[in-house]
Amino acid sequence: MTAQPHRITVIPGDGVGPEVVRSAQRIIAAAGVAVDWEEAEAGAEVFKRGDTSGVPRDTRASIERTRVVLKGPLETPVGFGEKSANVTLRKLFETYANVRPARELPGVPTRYAGEGVDMIIVRENIEDLYAGIEHMQTQDVAQCLKIITRKGSEKIIRYAFELARSQGRAKVTCATKANIMKLTEGLFKRTFEELSAEYPEITAEHLIIDNVAHQMAKNPAQFDVVVTTNLNGDIISDLASGLVGGLGFAPSGNYGDDVAIFEAVHGSAPKYAGKDVINPTALILSSLMMLRHVGEAAAAATIEDAVLVTLEEGKAVTQDLARQTGGDIEHAASTTGFTDSIIANLGKRPATVPKRAGAGAPAVAATPRPRWSYGADVSASVAHATVGVDLFLESWVEAGEAGRALEALAGDALTLQMISSRGTMVYPETGLKPDSVGLLRARFVAREAAADVSDAEIAALVLRVGERFAWTHVEKLHVFAGEDGYTKAQGQ
Amino acid sequence: MTAQPHRITVIPGDGVGPEVVRSAQRIIAAAGVAVDWEEAEAGAEVFKRGDTSGVPRDTRASIERTRVVLKGPLETPVGFGEKSANVTLRKLFETYANVRPARELPGVPTRYAGEGVDMIIVRENIEDLYAGIEHMQTQDVAQCLKIITRKGSEKIIRYAFELARSQGRAKVTCATKANIMKLTEGLFKRTFEELSAEYPEITAEHLIIDNVAHQMAKNPAQFDVVVTTNLNGDIISDLASGLVGGLGFAPSGNYGDDVAIFEAVHGSAPKYAGKDVINPTALILSSLMMLRHVGEAAAAATIEDAVLVTLEEGKAVTQDLARQTGGDIEHAASTTGFTDSIIANLGKRPATVPKRAGAGAPAVAATPRPRWSYGADVSASVAHATVGVDLFLESWVEAGEAGRALEALAGDALTLQMISSRGTMVYPETGLKPDSVGLLRARFVAREAAADVSDAEIAALVLRVGERFAWTHVEKLHVFAGEDGYTKAQGQ
């Protein structure tokens, strides 16, 4: 109980959203936590009124005031708005850490029951392929930029270690595909390895993402905290929730430097809306993450115990769970009835679930001193040279012919080093003829070793090549502090 | 039995490779299939002799002759060779289809036993992020290009449908992240939807990749054939093998237009090498895919039955399986003993496993007429305009200031449309200040609607901007046949 009520923005959302949100609000009130809810709108109705973001100005203003959001799922109606309002909210407030606990629950039948699965997936929420920067290179060749930054990596990896520390968790697993993507996923892995030294009491391990998926199927109880890049995290967090009962039991928190947003993972399930049948557990568990975030750990623990007791008893069972357990769907508990049972169980302790030191996500990590500095002065202090350029060309010309033509166009400052097709070198000729897709990458490098290639030389090259080939994309080849900032082609 | 022996290249490989390969060869011989094996070298010893590819010329020549390879795992010793010889082999012969069956086996204890899991993951094996094209944009911002082509997508999707057809399978599921990556993953999804019309007897469905991972954990028996892009496929094929007993039971085939390579998914497991203890099942199952590929379906079925009978009996059990079943590890079967049991069981039928119409992968798909044509003439026939350009700039300048500076540099032909940071618009200013990572993307578009921006105009822009900002990357903005070939920024 607090003297001063917490101010929290609540967005009931679409479909079943208002019902699950109301359930969580009733339980929080019954547990004695005083909240001054600022109810705000977002989603389907907002889009239909012509706001293409789905998130009105008033709602944004409320979140800027309260900095904490409890929300139901939002719909993006077909034909209104291009981007999901759920995603827009996360982007607007730069909630860079998507935290998805996956924990075995009593009374929820799964194939892994009794193994003690209790992990937290910490997913980077801003960058990677989700920056959504796509360019058609030719009419039949599409490209998306996967962007991984040291700063973005440092923030999420620190978040994961701080989370582990605050909860007394023993291990953080970093999941990447660094063996294939040495610069992008490799940057994430290297950042993890460097930061792990600051957390000597926590076991730090790195696993390749496909092995993580394999191990999650074979022995998920081995995982504790898992930190990973955006797409990897999207896939394995959904996998993890599938191991412990599905989306009806999957909470999430999105944490930024300023704002945190708590929501169930599931959608708006319109066919169940207004019928008082939906299982509110996911949103209730999300609200516990919220309570811990605002400093109400004791109340969160009390409510969590009541939820566990209710699931353990198996007396009030919602339809979805009755279906899974082969129980009586006709007489399943309503959303309201299930909520009432949890409230009635406040103060009880579950019999079968061991007590944990902490649960859910912590308050925003205690702003640790950054390991790296970032900025123009830091960039300027690092030796940097531009040693060449990659040009991407639409061309169906045979590699040898393209190579000879491009050699002739290279000019005085540059020389053609190689041509590749989908990453595999095709010139100088290797004798193999990989399938052409009409896009070649030609790499030109400075004729003189260690020469810095100028913008004027690149512009002149592009214009010369452009007379003969349609180019679509130019990448400088950088060397930073003596390290090549580009990869070789397969076979180079 | 065939009159003419099959010529097949066999690469025993490293670690346990020779033992598992020998096991499969013995069984094939015992089943009466005449093979003229061309034994060839690749892997650790080859690297150590100074061949940086790990795949010698003689081996390549043998594969060009035989076009079929059975191989053990290859090691890439640390300090020799940059690229895995396993990957090099797949790339050299452009085996674009990676086929990974995951099937419940009798006697192999898993949490999903008895549910009838029997799926095949068909993974695109050439493009996507695995083209490995990476460029540091700044010292702290890494980029990898995700490349998806219509031609590459058509080939793998057709392969999956032809596989389903040849095996009498009812459903093909396409797994993408098209909701986020509308151009790249979207191209794969659209290609799937268009091709599915040619296979009316097969149910075609599309699921988002994270949902596929979730559903595989919850109800894997729902999947039949799953076709997907390279990284997605890497993750879910390892997940699928985790559901049915792990890598000891995971076969694979890599199919190209000319060459097919069959191998177990597991590595060389050096600590078990030469001890006659390794479980050869994965390689044996891979060899069955090979036999079907060369037209020996009947022999493959006989051997498959013998493997199933041996696993079902549980009399000859290798160490790994004894460990899983809590059996007697001391008296576990040797690799040789397990192989002997399979040979002794040739001709028997398993009691508990229902007979399938077909199994494993088919012969190379019967070259279906391509739906699309590709080439310079086709490209030229499509209306194409360059309507602008994205410049990626290293800059820590505040967005408003950068915007005003770039407006002034845009020139007569172009105008600054927006600036984004990691895909989120920051100029024109939205009032929000996302975290800067020192890389901005500035989008310039033609001042006059429908104007085609020339290379000269772009080069002039790049030089003007380059006086003030360090640029790293240039992308043309294309419109093909009236469709924008680029995405908008978040918030644009």
Side-chain angles (χ1 to χ4, degrees), chain A residues 94 111 115 127 132 134-136 142-143 148 151 177 184 214 234 238 390 422 435-436 475 485 487, chain B residues 94 111 115 127 132 134-136 142-143 148 151 177 184 214 234 238 390 422 435-436 475 485 487:
Chain A
E94 189 134 319
R111 298 173 188 79
E115 298 183 24
E127 49 191 44
E134 296 188 285
H135 296 91
M136 296 303 291
Q143 172 192 285
I148 301 289
K151 193 177 185 186
K177 196 70 195 177
T184 48
H214 186 76
D234 190 5
D238 255 29
D390 279 352
R422 293 192 292 185
D435 209 8
S436 171
E475 293 276 354
T487 48
Chain B
E94 189 133 321
R111 298 174 187 76
E115 299 184 23
E127 50 190 44
E134 296 188 284
H135 295 90
M136 296 303 292
Q143 172 192 285
I148 301 289
K151 195 176 183 186
K177 194 72 195 174
T184 49
H214 186 78
D234 190 4
D238 255 30
D390 278 352
R422 293 193 291 184
D435 209 9
S436 171
E475 293 278 354
T487 48

Side-chain angles (χ1 to χ4, degrees), chain B residues 332-413:
Chain B
S334 65
T335 308
T336 310
F338 182 72
T339 306
D340 291 341
S341 296
I342 293 171
I343 291 171
N345 283 327
L346 286 169
K348 294 189 195 157
R349 282 285 185 83
T352 60
V353 184
K355 197 76 191 161
R356 272 195 314 199
V364 172
T367 55
R369 206 181 34 216
R371 189 173 180 88
W372 293 276
S373 6
Y374 308 93
D377 46 339
V378 181
S379 301
S381 72
V382 172
H384 167 229
T386 302
V387 297
V389 66
D390 278 352
L391 297 191
F392 293 74
L393 312 170
E394 176 166 2
S395 173
W396 293 92
V397 166
E398 178 269 323
E401 188 186 331
R404 286 182 294 275
L406 289 164
E407 299 253 16
L409 295 164
D412 296 332

Side-chain angles (χ1 to χ4, degrees), chain A residues 293-315:
Chain A
H293 178 69
V294 301
E296 294 282 358
T302 302
I303 297 174
E304 187 166 49
D305 280 346
V307 172
L308 295 172
V309 168
T310 306
L311 292 170
E312 200 172 51
E313 288 176 346
K315 286 188 284 194

Side-chain angles (χ1 to χ4, degrees), chain B residues 212-332:
Chain B
V212 169
H214 186 78
Q215 295 298 328
M216 279 198 181
K218 285 201 79 174
N219 178 21
Q222 75 186 280
F223 292 105
D224 200 340
V225 174
V226 181
V227 64
T228 187
T229 49
N230 205 335
L231 178 64
N232 291 339
D234 190 4
I235 297 173
I236 64 168
S237 61
D238 255 30
L239 165 56
S241 67
L243 301 171
V244 295
L247 296 182
F249 301 92
S252 79
N254 298 281
Y255 300 82
D257 287 331
D258 299 319
V259 167
I261 302 171
F262 301 89
E263 59 190 336
V265 173
H266 64 68
S268 60
K271 75 172 174 172
Y272 297 113
K275 296 190 176 153
D276 199 23
V277 297
I278 198 76
N279 177 355
T281 306
L283 203 276
I284 296 168
L285 295 178
S286 305
S287 79
L288 300 183
M289 296 172 75
M290 179 192 78
L291 289 178
R292 292 189 169 99
H293 178 69
V294 300
E296 292 284 357
T302 302
I303 297 173
E304 186 165 52
D305 280 347
V307 172
L308 295 172
V309 168
T310 306
L311 291 170
E312 198 173 54
E313 288 176 347
K315 287 188 285 195
V317 170
T318 47
Q319 276 189 9
D320 58 319
L321 197 50
R323 213 169 284 122
Q324 286 179 51
T325 54
D328 183 357
I329 296 164
E330 295 279 310
H331 298 93

Side-chain angles (χ1 to χ4, degrees), chain A residues 215-478:
Chain A
Q215 296 297 327
M216 279 197 180
K218 285 201 79 174
N219 178 20
Q222 75 185 282
F223 292 105
D224 199 340
V225 173
V226 181
V227 64
T228 188
T229 49
N230 205 337
L231 178 65
N232 291 338
D234 190 5
I235 296 174
I236 65 169
S237 60
D238 255 29
L239 165 56
S241 66
L243 301 170
V244 294
L247 296 183
F249 302 91
S252 80
N254 298 281
Y255 299 82
D257 288 330
D258 299 319
V259 167
I261 301 171
F262 300 89
E263 59 190 335
V265 173
H266 63 68
S268 60
K271 75 173 173 170
Y272 297 113
K275 296 188 179 157
D276 198 24
V277 297
I278 198 76
N279 177 356
T281 305
L283 204 275
I284 296 168
L285 295 178
S286 305
S287 78
L288 300 183
M289 296 171 75
M290 180 192 78
L291 289 178
R292 292 189 169 98
H293 178 69
V294 301
E296 294 282 358
T302 302
I303 297 174
E304 187 166 49
D305 280 346
V307 172
L308 295 172
V309 168
T310 306
L311 292 170
E312 200 172 51
E313 288 176 346
K315 286 188 284 194
V317 170
T318 47
Q319 276 189 8
D320 58 321
L321 198 49
R323 213 169 284 121
Q324 285 179 54
T325 54
D328 182 357
I329 296 164
E330 294 279 311
H331 298 92
S334 64
T335 308
T336 309
F338 183 72
T339 307
D340 291 341
S341 296
I342 293 171
I343 291 172
N345 283 327
L346 286 169
K348 294 188 196 158
R349 283 285 186 81
T352 60
V353 183
K355 196 79 191 157
R356 273 193 314 197
V364 171
T367 53
R369 207 180 33 215
R371 190 174 180 87
W372 292 276
S373 4
Y374 308 92
D377 47 341
V378 182
S379 300
S381 72
V382 171
H384 167 228
T386 302
V387 297
V389 66
D390 279 352
L391 298 192
F392 293 75
L393 312 170
E394 176 166 6
S395 173
W396 294 91
V397 167
E398 179 269 324
E401 188 186 332
R404 287 181 294 274
L406 289 165
E407 299 253 16
L409 294 165
D412 296 333
L414 294 153
T415 179
L416 178 72
Q417 186 179 65
M418 64 97 183
I419 303 174
S420 75
S421 170
R422 293 192 292 185
T424 296
M425 187 169 79
V426 294
Y427 184 88
E429 290 168 274
T430 57
L432 297 160
K433 308 270 177 224
D435 209 8
S436 171
V437 294
L439 182 73
L440 297 176
R441 181 258 306 257
R443 173 162 293 176
F444 295 89
V445 295
R447 278 195 191 273
E448 289 176 37
D452 207 16
V453 179
S454 70
D455 281 6
E457 285 162 348
I458 293 172
L461 173 74
V462 166
L463 288 174
R464 278 197 307 277
V465 170
E467 294 286 320
R468 177 82 184 267
F469 294 90
W471 65 270
T472 180
H473 168 173
V474 180
E475 293 276 354
K476 279 185 182 168
L477 304 180
H478 303 282

Side-chain angles (χ1 to χ4, degrees), chain A residues 53-65:
Chain A
S53 75
V55 183
R57 186 172 293 273
D58 284 356
T59 300
R60 299 180 194 202
S62 169
I63 297 171
E64 279 165 28
R65 274 194 302 275

Side-chain angles (χ1 to χ4, degrees), chain B residues 113-155:
Chain B
E115 299 184 23
V117 174
D118 181 11
M119 67 177 116
I120 301 180
I121 312 293
V122 178
R123 165 186 172 196
E124 201 287 323
N125 218 9
I126 303 286
E127 50 190 44
D128 198 357
L129 294 154
Y130 290 69
I133 307 170
E134 296 188 284
H135 295 90
M136 296 303 292
Q137 300 291 296
T138 75
Q139 58 166 330
D140 290 330
V141 178
Q143 172 192 285
C144 185
L145 301 183
K146 176 184 171 81
I147 304 279
I148 301 289
T149 73
R150 182 184 298 277
K151 195 176 183 186
S153 301
E154 176 173 11
K155 285 178 81 167

